[in-house]
CSV table of all heavy atoms in Angstrom, one decimal:
chain,number,residue,atom,x,y,z
A,44,TYR,N,-3.8,-0.2,14.6
A,44,TYR,CA,-3.9,0.7,13.5
A,44,TYR,C,-4.5,0.0,12.3
A,44,TYR,O,-4.1,-1.1,11.9
A,44,TYR,CB,-2.6,1.2,13.0
A,44,TYR,CG,-1.9,2.3,14.0
A,44,TYR,CD1,-2.3,2.4,15.3
A,44,TYR,CD2,-1.0,3.2,13.5
A,44,TYR,CE1,-1.7,3.3,16.1
A,44,TYR,CE2,-0.4,4.1,14.3
A,44,TYR,CZ,-0.8,4.2,15.6
A,44,TYR,OH,-0.2,5.1,16.5
A,46,TYR,N,-6.4,0.7,8.2
A,46,TYR,CA,-6.4,1.6,7.1
A,46,TYR,C,-7.3,1.1,6.0
A,46,TYR,O,-7.4,-0.1,5.8
A,46,TYR,CB,-5.0,1.8,6.5
A,46,TYR,CG,-3.9,2.2,7.5
A,46,TYR,CD1,-3.3,1.3,8.3
A,46,TYR,CD2,-3.5,3.5,7.6
A,46,TYR,CE1,-2.4,1.7,9.2
A,46,TYR,CE2,-2.5,4.0,8.5
A,46,TYR,CZ,-2.0,3.0,9.3
A,46,TYR,OH,-1.0,3.4,10.2
A,48,TYR,N,-7.4,1.8,1.8
A,48,TYR,CA,-6.8,2.4,0.6
A,48,TYR,C,-7.7,2.1,-0.6
A,48,TYR,O,-8.3,1.0,-0.6
A,48,TYR,CB,-5.4,1.8,0.4
A,48,TYR,CG,-4.4,2.3,1.4
A,48,TYR,CD1,-4.1,1.5,2.5
A,48,TYR,CD2,-3.6,3.4,1.2
A,48,TYR,CE1,-3.1,1.9,3.4
A,48,TYR,CE2,-2.6,3.8,2.1
A,48,TYR,CZ,-2.4,3.1,3.2
A,48,TYR,OH,-1.4,3.4,4.1
A,50,GLN,N,-7.1,1.6,-4.8
A,50,GLN,CA,-6.0,1.5,-5.8
A,50,GLN,C,-6.6,1.7,-7.2
A,50,GLN,O,-7.4,0.9,-7.6
A,50,GLN,CB,-5.3,0.2,-5.7
A,50,GLN,CG,-4.2,0.0,-6.7
A,50,GLN,CD,-3.4,-1.3,-6.6
A,50,GLN,OE1,-3.9,-2.3,-6.0
A,50,GLN,NE2,-2.3,-1.5,-7.2
A,53,GLY,N,-2.2,3.2,-12.3
A,53,GLY,CA,-1.2,4.3,-12.4
A,53,GLY,C,-1.3,5.3,-11.3
A,53,GLY,O,-0.5,6.3,-11.4
A,54,MET,N,-2.1,5.1,-10.3
A,54,MET,CA,-2.3,6.1,-9.3
A,54,MET,C,-1.7,5.7,-7.9
A,54,MET,O,-1.7,6.4,-7.0
A,54,MET,CB,-3.8,6.5,-9.1
A,54,MET,CG,-4.4,7.1,-10.4
A,54,MET,SD,-3.6,8.6,-10.8
A,54,MET,CE,-4.2,9.7,-9.6
A,55,GLY,N,-1.3,4.5,-7.8
A,55,GLY,CA,-0.8,3.9,-6.6
A,55,GLY,C,-1.9,3.7,-5.6
A,55,GLY,O,-3.1,3.5,-5.9
A,56,LEU,N,-1.6,3.8,-4.3
A,56,LEU,CA,-2.5,3.5,-3.2
A,56,LEU,C,-2.8,4.9,-2.5
A,56,LEU,O,-2.0,5.6,-2.0
A,56,LEU,CB,-1.9,2.6,-2.2
A,56,LEU,CG,-1.7,1.2,-2.7
A,56,LEU,CD1,-0.6,0.4,-1.9
A,56,LEU,CD2,-3.0,0.4,-2.6
A,58,LEU,N,-4.9,6.8,0.5
A,58,LEU,CA,-5.5,6.6,1.8
A,58,LEU,C,-6.9,7.2,1.9
A,58,LEU,O,-7.0,8.4,1.7
A,58,LEU,CB,-4.6,7.1,2.9
A,58,LEU,CG,-5.0,6.9,4.3
A,58,LEU,CD1,-5.1,5.4,4.6
A,58,LEU,CD2,-4.1,7.6,5.3
A,61,TYR,N,-8.3,6.1,8.2
A,61,TYR,CA,-7.6,5.2,9.0
A,61,TYR,C,-8.1,5.4,10.5
A,61,TYR,O,-8.8,6.3,10.8
A,61,TYR,CB,-6.1,5.5,8.9
A,61,TYR,CG,-5.7,6.9,9.5
A,61,TYR,CD1,-5.1,7.0,10.7
A,61,TYR,CD2,-5.8,8.0,8.7
A,61,TYR,CE1,-4.7,8.2,11.2
A,61,TYR,CE2,-5.4,9.3,9.2
A,61,TYR,CZ,-4.8,9.4,10.4
A,61,TYR,OH,-4.4,10.6,10.9
A,63,VAL,N,-6.6,4.5,14.7
A,63,VAL,CA,-5.5,4.2,15.5
A,63,VAL,C,-6.0,3.4,16.7
A,63,VAL,O,-5.2,3.0,17.6
A,63,VAL,CB,-4.7,5.4,16.0
A,63,VAL,CG1,-4.1,6.1,14.8
A,63,VAL,CG2,-5.5,6.4,16.8
A,70,LYS,N,-9.6,11.1,8.7
A,70,LYS,CA,-9.6,11.2,7.2
A,70,LYS,C,-8.2,11.0,6.7
A,70,LYS,O,-7.2,11.5,7.2
A,70,LYS,CB,-10.2,12.5,6.7
A,70,LYS,CG,-11.7,12.6,7.1
A,70,LYS,CD,-12.2,14.0,6.7
A,70,LYS,CE,-13.7,14.2,7.1
A,70,LYS,NZ,-14.2,15.5,6.7
A,71,GLY,N,-8.2,10.4,5.5
A,71,GLY,CA,-6.9,10.3,4.7
A,71,GLY,C,-7.0,11.3,3.6
A,71,GLY,O,-7.5,12.4,3.7
A,103,PHE,N,-8.4,-1.8,-0.6
A,103,PHE,CA,-7.6,-2.6,0.3
A,103,PHE,C,-7.7,-2.1,1.7
A,103,PHE,O,-7.6,-0.9,2.0
A,103,PHE,CB,-6.2,-2.6,-0.1
A,103,PHE,CG,-5.9,-3.3,-1.4
A,103,PHE,CD1,-5.8,-2.7,-2.6
A,103,PHE,CD2,-5.8,-4.7,-1.4
A,103,PHE,CE1,-5.5,-3.4,-3.8
A,103,PHE,CE2,-5.5,-5.4,-2.6
A,103,PHE,CZ,-5.4,-4.7,-3.7
A,107,LYS,N,-1.6,-2.5,11.1
A,107,LYS,CA,-0.3,-2.7,11.7
A,107,LYS,C,-0.5,-2.6,13.2
A,107,LYS,O,-1.4,-2.1,13.7
A,107,LYS,CB,0.8,-1.7,11.2
A,107,LYS,CG,0.5,-0.3,11.5
A,107,LYS,CD,1.7,0.5,11.1
A,107,LYS,CE,1.6,2.0,11.5
A,107,LYS,NZ,2.8,2.8,11.3
A,110,ALA,N,2.3,2.4,16.7
A,110,ALA,CA,3.2,3.5,16.2
A,110,ALA,C,4.6,3.1,15.9
A,110,ALA,O,5.3,3.6,15.0
A,110,ALA,CB,3.1,4.6,17.2
A,111,GLY,N,5.1,2.2,16.7
A,111,GLY,CA,6.6,1.8,16.5
A,111,GLY,C,6.8,0.6,15.5
A,111,GLY,O,7.9,0.2,15.3
A,113,GLU,N,6.3,-0.6,11.7
A,113,GLU,CA,6.0,0.1,10.5
A,113,GLU,C,5.4,-0.9,9.4
A,113,GLU,O,5.0,-0.4,8.4
A,113,GLU,CB,7.3,0.7,9.9
A,113,GLU,CG,8.0,1.6,10.9
A,113,GLU,CD,7.0,2.8,11.3
A,113,GLU,OE1,6.2,3.2,10.5
A,113,GLU,OE2,7.2,3.3,12.4
A,114,LYS,N,5.5,-2.2,9.6
A,114,LYS,CA,5.1,-3.1,8.6
A,114,LYS,C,3.5,-3.2,8.4
A,114,LYS,O,2.8,-3.4,9.5
A,114,LYS,CB,5.6,-4.5,8.9
A,114,LYS,CG,5.2,-5.6,7.8
A,114,LYS,CD,5.8,-6.9,8.2
A,114,LYS,CE,5.3,-8.0,7.2
A,114,LYS,NZ,5.8,-9.3,7.5
A,115,LEU,N,3.0,-2.9,7.3
A,115,LEU,CA,1.6,-3.0,7.0
A,115,LEU,C,1.2,-4.4,6.5
A,115,LEU,O,2.0,-4.9,5.6
A,115,LEU,CB,1.2,-2.0,5.9
A,115,LEU,CG,1.0,-0.5,6.4
A,115,LEU,CD1,0.8,0.3,5.1
A,115,LEU,CD2,-0.2,-0.4,7.3
A,117,PHE,N,-1.8,-6.3,4.4
A,117,PHE,CA,-2.9,-6.0,3.6
A,117,PHE,C,-3.8,-7.2,3.4
A,117,PHE,O,-3.4,-8.3,3.4
A,117,PHE,CB,-2.4,-5.6,2.2
A,117,PHE,CG,-1.9,-4.2,2.1
A,117,PHE,CD1,-0.6,-3.9,2.4
A,117,PHE,CD2,-2.7,-3.1,1.7
A,117,PHE,CE1,0.0,-2.6,2.3
A,117,PHE,CE2,-2.2,-1.8,1.6
A,117,PHE,CZ,-0.9,-1.6,1.9
A,118,GLY,N,-5.1,-6.9,3.2
A,118,GLY,CA,-6.1,-7.9,2.8
A,118,GLY,C,-5.9,-8.1,1.3
A,118,GLY,O,-5.1,-7.4,0.6
A,119,SER,N,-6.8,-9.0,0.8
A,119,SER,CA,-6.6,-9.3,-0.7
A,119,SER,C,-7.5,-8.5,-1.6
A,119,SER,O,-7.5,-8.6,-2.8
A,119,SER,CB,-7.0,-10.8,-0.9
A,119,SER,OG,-8.3,-11.1,-0.4
B,29,GLN,N,6.9,3.5,-14.8
B,29,GLN,CA,5.5,3.0,-14.6
B,29,GLN,C,5.5,1.5,-14.9
B,29,GLN,O,4.7,0.7,-14.3
B,29,GLN,CB,4.5,3.8,-15.4
B,29,GLN,CG,3.1,3.5,-15.1
B,29,GLN,CD,2.1,4.4,-15.7
B,29,GLN,OE1,2.5,5.4,-16.5
B,29,GLN,NE2,0.8,4.3,-15.5
B,52,TYR,N,11.6,5.8,7.1
B,52,TYR,CA,11.4,4.4,6.9
B,52,TYR,C,10.9,4.3,5.4
B,52,TYR,O,10.0,4.9,5.0
B,52,TYR,CB,10.4,3.8,7.8
B,52,TYR,CG,10.1,2.4,7.7
B,52,TYR,CD1,11.0,1.4,8.1
B,52,TYR,CD2,8.9,2.0,7.1
B,52,TYR,CE1,10.7,0.0,7.9
B,52,TYR,CE2,8.6,0.6,6.9
B,52,TYR,CZ,9.5,-0.3,7.4
B,52,TYR,OH,9.2,-1.7,7.3
B,56,TYR,N,6.9,-2.7,-1.4
B,56,TYR,CA,5.9,-3.7,-1.3
B,56,TYR,C,5.7,-4.4,-2.7
B,56,TYR,O,5.9,-3.7,-3.7
B,56,TYR,CB,4.5,-3.1,-0.9
B,56,TYR,CG,4.4,-2.8,0.6
B,56,TYR,CD1,5.0,-1.6,1.1
B,56,TYR,CD2,3.8,-3.7,1.5
B,56,TYR,CE1,4.9,-1.3,2.4
B,56,TYR,CE2,3.7,-3.4,2.8
B,56,TYR,CZ,4.3,-2.2,3.3
B,56,TYR,OH,4.2,-2.0,4.6
B,58,GLN,N,3.2,-6.7,-5.1
B,58,GLN,CA,1.8,-7.1,-5.3
B,58,GLN,C,1.6,-8.0,-6.5
B,58,GLN,O,1.9,-7.5,-7.6
B,58,GLN,CB,0.9,-5.9,-5.4
B,58,GLN,CG,-0.6,-6.2,-5.5
B,58,GLN,CD,-1.4,-4.9,-5.7
B,58,GLN,OE1,-1.0,-3.9,-6.3
B,58,GLN,NE2,-2.6,-4.9,-5.2
B,61,GLY,N,-4.4,-9.8,-8.2
B,61,GLY,CA,-5.5,-10.3,-7.4
B,61,GLY,C,-5.2,-10.4,-5.9
B,61,GLY,O,-6.0,-11.0,-5.1
B,62,LYS,N,-4.1,-9.9,-5.5
B,62,LYS,CA,-3.6,-10.0,-4.1
B,62,LYS,C,-3.4,-8.6,-3.6
B,62,LYS,O,-3.2,-7.6,-4.4
B,62,LYS,CB,-2.3,-10.8,-4.0
B,62,LYS,CG,-2.5,-12.3,-4.5
B,62,LYS,CD,-3.4,-13.1,-3.7
B,62,LYS,CE,-3.4,-14.5,-4.2
B,62,LYS,NZ,-4.4,-15.3,-3.4
B,63,GLY,N,-3.3,-8.5,-2.3
B,63,GLY,CA,-2.9,-7.3,-1.7
B,63,GLY,C,-1.4,-7.1,-1.6
B,63,GLY,O,-0.7,-8.1,-1.7
B,64,PRO,N,-0.9,-5.9,-1.5
B,64,PRO,CA,0.6,-5.7,-1.4
B,64,PRO,C,1.1,-6.4,-0.2
B,64,PRO,O,0.5,-6.6,0.8
B,64,PRO,CB,0.7,-4.2,-1.3
B,64,PRO,CG,-0.5,-3.6,-1.8
B,64,PRO,CD,-1.6,-4.6,-1.5
B,65,ALA,N,2.4,-6.8,-0.3
B,65,ALA,CA,3.1,-7.5,0.8
B,65,ALA,C,4.5,-6.9,1.0
B,65,ALA,O,5.1,-6.7,-0.1
B,65,ALA,CB,3.1,-9.0,0.6
B,66,LEU,N,4.9,-6.7,2.2
B,66,LEU,CA,6.2,-6.1,2.4
B,66,LEU,C,7.3,-7.0,1.9
B,66,LEU,O,7.3,-8.2,2.2
B,66,LEU,CB,6.4,-5.8,3.9
B,66,LEU,CG,7.8,-5.2,4.3
B,66,LEU,CD1,7.9,-3.8,3.7
B,66,LEU,CD2,8.0,-5.2,5.8
B,71,ARG,N,16.1,1.9,6.5
B,71,ARG,CA,16.1,3.1,7.3
B,71,ARG,C,17.3,4.0,6.8
B,71,ARG,O,18.3,3.5,6.3
B,71,ARG,CB,16.2,2.9,8.8
B,71,ARG,CG,15.0,2.2,9.3
B,71,ARG,CD,14.8,2.4,10.8
B,71,ARG,NE,13.6,1.7,11.3
B,71,ARG,CZ,12.4,2.1,11.2
B,71,ARG,NH1,12.1,3.3,10.7
B,71,ARG,NH2,11.4,1.4,11.8
B,109,PHE,N,5.6,-1.3,-5.3
B,109,PHE,CA,5.4,0.0,-4.8
B,109,PHE,C,6.5,0.4,-3.8
B,109,PHE,O,6.8,-0.4,-2.9
B,109,PHE,CB,4.1,0.1,-4.0
B,109,PHE,CG,2.8,-0.1,-4.8
B,109,PHE,CD1,2.2,-1.4,-4.9
B,109,PHE,CD2,2.3,0.9,-5.5
B,109,PHE,CE1,1.1,-1.6,-5.7
B,109,PHE,CE2,1.1,0.8,-6.2
B,109,PHE,CZ,0.5,-0.5,-6.3
B,113,SER,N,7.6,6.6,5.2
B,113,SER,CA,6.8,7.0,6.4
B,113,SER,C,7.7,7.5,7.5
B,113,SER,O,8.9,7.5,7.3
B,113,SER,CB,6.1,5.8,7.0
B,113,SER,OG,6.9,4.8,7.4
B,114,ILE,N,7.1,8.0,8.5
B,114,ILE,CA,7.9,8.6,9.6
B,114,ILE,C,7.6,7.8,10.8
B,114,ILE,O,6.4,7.5,11.1
B,114,ILE,CB,7.4,10.1,9.9
B,114,ILE,CG1,7.6,10.9,8.7
B,114,ILE,CG2,8.2,10.7,11.1
B,114,ILE,CD1,7.0,12.3,8.7
B,115,ARG,N,8.6,7.3,11.5
B,115,ARG,CA,8.5,6.4,12.6
B,115,ARG,C,7.5,7.0,13.6
B,115,ARG,O,7.7,8.1,14.1
B,115,ARG,CB,9.8,6.1,13.3
B,115,ARG,CG,9.8,4.9,14.2
B,115,ARG,CD,11.1,4.8,15.0
B,115,ARG,NE,12.3,5.1,14.1
B,115,ARG,CZ,13.4,4.4,14.2
B,115,ARG,NH1,13.5,3.4,14.9
B,115,ARG,NH2,14.4,4.8,13.4
B,116,GLY,N,6.5,6.2,14.1
B,116,GLY,CA,5.6,6.7,15.0
B,116,GLY,C,4.4,7.4,14.5
B,116,GLY,O,3.5,7.7,15.2
B,117,TYR,N,4.5,7.7,13.2
B,117,TYR,CA,3.4,8.5,12.5
B,117,TYR,C,2.5,7.5,11.9
B,117,TYR,O,2.9,6.4,11.4
B,117,TYR,CB,4.0,9.4,11.5
B,117,TYR,CG,3.0,10.4,10.9
B,117,TYR,CD1,2.4,11.3,11.7
B,117,TYR,CD2,2.9,10.5,9.5
B,117,TYR,CE1,1.5,12.2,11.2
B,117,TYR,CE2,2.0,11.4,9.0
B,117,TYR,CZ,1.3,12.3,9.8
B,117,TYR,OH,0.5,13.2,9.3
B,118,GLN,N,1.2,7.9,11.8
B,118,GLN,CA,0.2,6.9,11.3
B,118,GLN,C,0.3,6.6,9.9
B,118,GLN,O,0.0,5.4,9.4
B,118,GLN,CB,-1.2,7.3,11.7
B,118,GLN,CG,-1.5,7.6,13.2
B,118,GLN,CD,-1.2,9.0,13.5
B,118,GLN,OE1,-0.5,9.7,12.8
B,118,GLN,NE2,-1.6,9.4,14.7
B,119,LYS,N,0.6,7.6,9.0
B,119,LYS,CA,0.4,7.4,7.6
B,119,LYS,C,1.6,6.9,6.9
B,119,LYS,O,2.8,7.2,7.2
B,119,LYS,CB,-0.1,8.8,7.0
B,119,LYS,CG,-1.4,9.2,7.6
B,119,LYS,CD,-1.8,10.6,7.0
B,119,LYS,CE,-3.0,11.2,7.7
B,119,LYS,NZ,-3.3,12.5,7.1
B,120,VAL,N,1.4,6.2,5.8
B,120,VAL,CA,2.4,5.7,4.9
B,120,VAL,C,2.1,6.3,3.5
B,120,VAL,O,0.9,6.3,3.0
B,120,VAL,CB,2.4,4.2,4.8
B,120,VAL,CG1,3.5,3.8,3.7
B,120,VAL,CG2,2.7,3.6,6.1
B,122,PHE,N,2.6,6.2,-0.5
B,122,PHE,CA,3.0,5.2,-1.5
B,122,PHE,C,3.4,5.9,-2.8
B,122,PHE,O,2.8,6.9,-3.2
B,122,PHE,CB,1.9,4.2,-1.7
B,122,PHE,CG,1.8,3.2,-0.7
B,122,PHE,CD1,0.9,3.4,0.4
B,122,PHE,CD2,2.4,2.0,-0.7
B,122,PHE,CE1,0.8,2.5,1.5
B,122,PHE,CE2,2.3,1.0,0.3
B,122,PHE,CZ,1.5,1.3,1.4
B,123,GLY,N,4.3,5.3,-3.6
B,123,GLY,CA,4.6,5.7,-4.9
B,123,GLY,C,3.4,5.1,-5.8
B,123,GLY,O,2.5,4.4,-5.3
B,124,THR,N,3.5,5.5,-7.1
B,124,THR,CA,2.4,5.1,-8.0
B,124,THR,C,2.5,3.7,-8.5
B,124,THR,O,1.6,3.2,-9.2
B,124,THR,CB,2.4,6.1,-9.2
B,124,THR,OG1,3.7,6.2,-9.7
B,124,THR,CG2,1.9,7.4,-8.7
B,125,GLY,N,3.6,3.0,-8.2
B,125,GLY,CA,3.7,1.6,-8.6
B,125,GLY,C,4.5,1.4,-9.9
B,125,GLY,O,4.4,2.2,-10.8
Side-chain angles (χ1 to χ4, degrees):
Chain A
Y44 288 20
Y46 304 82
Y48 290 92
Q50 182 179 14
M54 300 296 289
L56 293 156
L58 181 63
Y61 67 98
V63 299
K70 296 177 181 179
F103 288 100
K107 66 174 183 172
E113 304 304 327
K114 180 179 177 180
L115 278 174
F117 283 84
S119 57
Chain B
Q29 188 170 1
Y52 181 74
Y56 284 82
Q58 182 185 30
K62 302 292 185 183
L66 181 65
R71 295 205 182 271
F109 292 97
S113 64
I114 302 168
R115 192 186 325 219
Y117 191 58
Q118 300 90 342
K119 299 179 186 178
V120 178
F122 285 88
T124 50

